[in-house]
Amino acid sequence: MFGLDTLGKAVGQLVNGFETNVRQGQQQLEKALGDAGVLDAATLSTITEMSDAYRTMAEDLLLHPLRFAGAELDLARKHAALGYYTLARLVGKHKKPVVEPEADDRRFQAEEWHKHLPFDVLHQAYLINSQAFLNWAAGMEGIPPAGRDQMLFYARHLTSALSPSNFPATNPEVLRITWERKGMNLIDGGRQLIEDLRQNPSLFNVGMTDRSAFEVGRNLATTPGKVVFQNELMQLIQYSPTTETVSKRPLLIVPPWINKYYILDLTARNSFIQWLVNQGQTVFIVSWRNPGPSLRDKGWEDYMELGPLAAMDAVTEATGEDQMNLIGYCIGGTLLGSTLAWLKKKGRNPVASATYLTTLLDFSDPGGIGVFINDHSIRGIEKMLERKGYLDGRAMAFTFNLLRENELFWSFWTNNYLKGQKPAAFDLLYWNTDGTNLPARMHSYYLRQMYLNNRLVKPDSLNLLGESINLSEIDVPSFFLSARQDHIAKWKTTYKGALAHGGDVRFVLSGSGHIAGVINPPYKEKYGYWTNDTLVPDADAWFEKSEHHPGSWWPHWLEWIARFSDGDVPARIPGEGKLPAIEDAPGSYVKVKAAEAVKQ
């Protein structure tokens, strides 16, 4: 008998054949467009991944019609409830909304969305439909976790893009402003759009802050100091002391080169660097060069050799100290772990303690960026890197913004271009848009060996500067700081990295996210942190027995690192040691913009 099973098999065969033809067509189209130079390979691979996700959803409709029908019935019930709500409002009765935005969804906060019935119904209908679509996508069967995350990512972006808040005719707040300003808001918004396009030639990024309000060295990165060493990849800054005596062992910071170092020195009051100086530390920091095509062949080993290794030698020359304390932030911490494992193999011991700030050593769960981590996407990125020699820092910033698209893209789209409002002056967002490029060789290595293959955490799987490295052999005391809401370096994954690290390891969990969880000065008394000196295999079990403390983690860390200070010495003045001052902090490397670096 011709039953549902037979029909399902037939549909499955049809879908498989269709999928094979589509994939072959996609490969031919990718090659044709890539060869013609219409789109770069990275963009083409992203478009292909997106179309694959949407095609998978369409196939699910054919293969599981009953599940889709059930979702449709639930959707119909909610729309019926919305109809009753509408009738109640029409006759003047107060009725609770059928659906309300999530607590952190600010798109529909304006009074006009709730005051005027058509827009009240419109935004509720949108929320009902979008949530139903996302729930249906999440419930699809037979999809591996990585594929499911990618599909949900693109499904979420589709629903976010279609929000009525993003269009002038369906946003009541925009309509009101347009009426009041006689359309000048749209003219002002158009001017801002043109300016943003001019500021980002060949690569559009929405304006997030008033760029004219900030200047590195004038009101950002203002902690006094001197550049005392430099090479083709970095400048080394030594900061001027504010205390008569300082810890004998200096402190070297290795920041990320995906962003600029001055996230640690935004303004004096919020500056982690200034706070460290005020606590009697001799602080050095690496300021990475913003690379262009000429540095395309610089790899992970070059960043290690010309970065922390060269900086440690320079710190020793400047201070006369053979041992120092190190801090690594984000990918700077990943490089720090690589360096310490290499130093152990070489039998060298210049590091007294290591601090890792929101650092991935284990990449088994790469967070939100994981939707772009697969062989197909990386091959597309590598083709683009081979052609250009670098990854544009503006593209990287845009990618990270897409992980929180409503907050970091569409909200600015609406405010800037529809409402005609000039972005506010916000130092953190200025830093966020001041991106850095990434050399082709280094970035390919980082994506493949760390993110895709997770080789750093595998003993003796990576060979750096002639030595195979093993994180478990490191015996330097270490302090891991992670952030509970971090979507870039998820705290449970950083915890796995801490378990893989040898030596005496302390793990501390801060509140908030990747930036605010770290840049949390004591005067704010915000977020708090959790401690538990006993590491156990399971992160949840560690957290369950942890102790919560109010306020900033900074003083807690200072108590920990005091054990490795080796006493006090008279304050050191930058440039008065064996390394003469080259120029004033913040130096020249940090001032180079991503678009300018491409021309060098």
Side-chain angles (χ1 to χ4, degrees), residues 18-173:
F18 174 73
E19 183 175 353
T20 300
N21 291 332
V22 167
R23 189 166 294 281
Q24 290 174 349
Q26 282 178 339
Q27 292 172 351
Q28 294 171 0
L29 182 62
E30 279 190 45
K31 186 177 186 305
L33 292 175
D35 291 344
V38 177
L39 294 171
D40 65 54
T43 302
L44 283 170
S45 66
T46 300
I47 292 173
T48 301
E49 298 287 348
M50 187 183 302
S51 64
D52 285 347
Y54 295 144
R55 190 184 70 249
T56 301
M57 297 177 200
E59 291 171 359
D60 190 74
L61 291 177
L62 294 173
L63 294 171
H64 302 95
L66 292 179
R67 189 173 71 82
F68 180 72
E72 282 290 295
L73 285 174
D74 183 63
L75 181 63
R77 283 193 293 268
K78 290 182 178 177
H79 275 287
L82 183 59
Y84 290 130
Y85 172 86
T86 304
L87 289 173
R89 281 210 56 182
L90 284 171
V91 298
K93 291 184 178 179
H94 175 75
K95 192 171 177 64
K96 185 179 179 181
V98 177
V99 62
E100 294 186 273
E102 297 289 337
D104 58 350
D105 186 348
R106 296 180 288 183
R107 292 174 293 175
F108 308 109
Q109 286 185 338
E111 180 186 3
E112 290 87 349
W113 287 106
H114 313 281
K115 179 179 178 181
H116 305 296
L117 180 59
F119 297 106
D120 188 8
V121 174
L122 176 65
H123 93 271
Q124 287 195 60
Y126 162 76
L127 291 172
I128 290 170
N129 292 335
S130 60
Q131 191 57 58
F133 178 58
L134 293 175
N135 288 342
W136 167 69
M140 291 172 63
E141 301 171 355
I143 300 174
R148 185 181 303 279
D149 290 344
Q150 187 180 68
M151 187 174 58
L152 286 173
F153 175 83
Y154 290 120
R156 195 188 77 225
H157 274 272
L158 179 62
T159 61
S160 295
L162 294 175
S163 170
S165 59
N166 299 334
F167 305 96
T170 53
N171 187 321
E173 191 179 10

Side-chain angles (χ1 to χ4, degrees), residues 90-280:
L90 284 171
V91 298
K93 291 184 178 179
H94 175 75
K95 192 171 177 64
K96 185 179 179 181
V98 177
V99 62
E100 294 186 273
E102 297 289 337
D104 58 350
D105 186 348
R106 296 180 288 183
R107 292 174 293 175
F108 308 109
Q109 286 185 338
E111 180 186 3
E112 290 87 349
W113 287 106
H114 313 281
K115 179 179 178 181
H116 305 296
L117 180 59
F119 297 106
D120 188 8
V121 174
L122 176 65
H123 93 271
Q124 287 195 60
Y126 162 76
L127 291 172
I128 290 170
N129 292 335
S130 60
Q131 191 57 58
F133 178 58
L134 293 175
N135 288 342
W136 167 69
M140 291 172 63
E141 301 171 355
I143 300 174
R148 185 181 303 279
D149 290 344
Q150 187 180 68
M151 187 174 58
L152 286 173
F153 175 83
Y154 290 120
R156 195 188 77 225
H157 274 272
L158 179 62
T159 61
S160 295
L162 294 175
S163 170
S165 59
N166 299 334
F167 305 96
T170 53
N171 187 321
E173 191 179 10
V174 171
L175 289 174
R176 174 183 58 78
I177 293 171
T178 303
W179 175 263
E180 292 173 350
R181 297 193 58 196
K182 298 179 173 58
M184 286 301 298
N185 57 303
L186 299 178
I187 294 175
D188 290 342
R191 288 174 180 154
Q192 289 193 65
L193 177 59
I194 292 171
E195 175 61 17
D196 288 338
L197 290 169
R198 189 188 68 80
Q199 289 278 349
N200 296 280
S202 76
L203 185 62
F204 173 70
N205 272 348
V206 63
M208 302 177 74
T209 187
D210 180 4
R211 298 181 183 91
S212 65
F214 299 103
E215 181 183 349
V216 175
R218 178 175 62 84
N219 55 1
L220 297 174
T222 58
T223 301
K226 303 286 184 181
V227 174
V228 295
F229 174 83
Q230 68 181 36
N231 57 35
E232 58 185 323
L233 270 186
M234 66 89 172
Q235 289 186 318
L236 183 68
I237 301 170
Q238 179 182 354
Y239 289 98
S240 301
T242 59
T243 55
E244 292 185 2
T245 61
V246 294
S247 296
K248 185 172 184 290
R249 285 185 178 140
L251 178 66
L252 171 62
I253 303 175
V254 183
W257 58 90
I258 290 175
N259 303 102
K260 293 184 177 178
Y261 84 86
Y262 66 87
I263 185 60
L264 297 170
D265 191 27
L266 282 177
T267 57
R269 200 169 185 216
N270 295 328
S271 171
F272 184 53
I273 291 172
Q274 184 65 71
W275 182 84
L276 290 171
V277 171
N278 293 343
Q279 307 311 308

Side-chain angles (χ1 to χ4, degrees), residues 395-470:
M396 176 67 73
F398 183 74
T399 299
F400 279 107
N401 288 346
L402 289 183
L403 301 180
R404 294 158 58 195
E405 73 283 357
N406 284 325
E407 181 180 350
L408 295 178
F409 183 85
W410 289 114
S411 64
F412 292 99
W413 170 276
T414 303
N415 287 332
N416 296 2
Y417 310 138
L418 303 187
K419 298 179 184 178
Q421 298 173 357
K422 191 174 182 179
F426 189 13
D427 54 4
L428 178 60
L429 291 179
Y430 178 88
W431 167 85
N432 192 52
T433 59
D434 188 14
T436 54
N437 304 323
L438 304 175
R441 184 182 171 196
M442 185 285 302
H443 194 52
S444 174
Y445 182 93
Y446 181 51
L447 290 177
R448 280 206 172 272
Q449 306 307 330
M450 309 296 181
Y451 273 103
L452 186 63
N453 297 320
N454 195 22
R455 291 182 63 187
L456 179 59
V457 79
K458 298 173 183 176
D460 299 308
S461 180
L462 289 180
N463 190 290
L464 297 174
L465 298 176
E467 298 288 349
S468 62
I469 63 170
N470 185 344

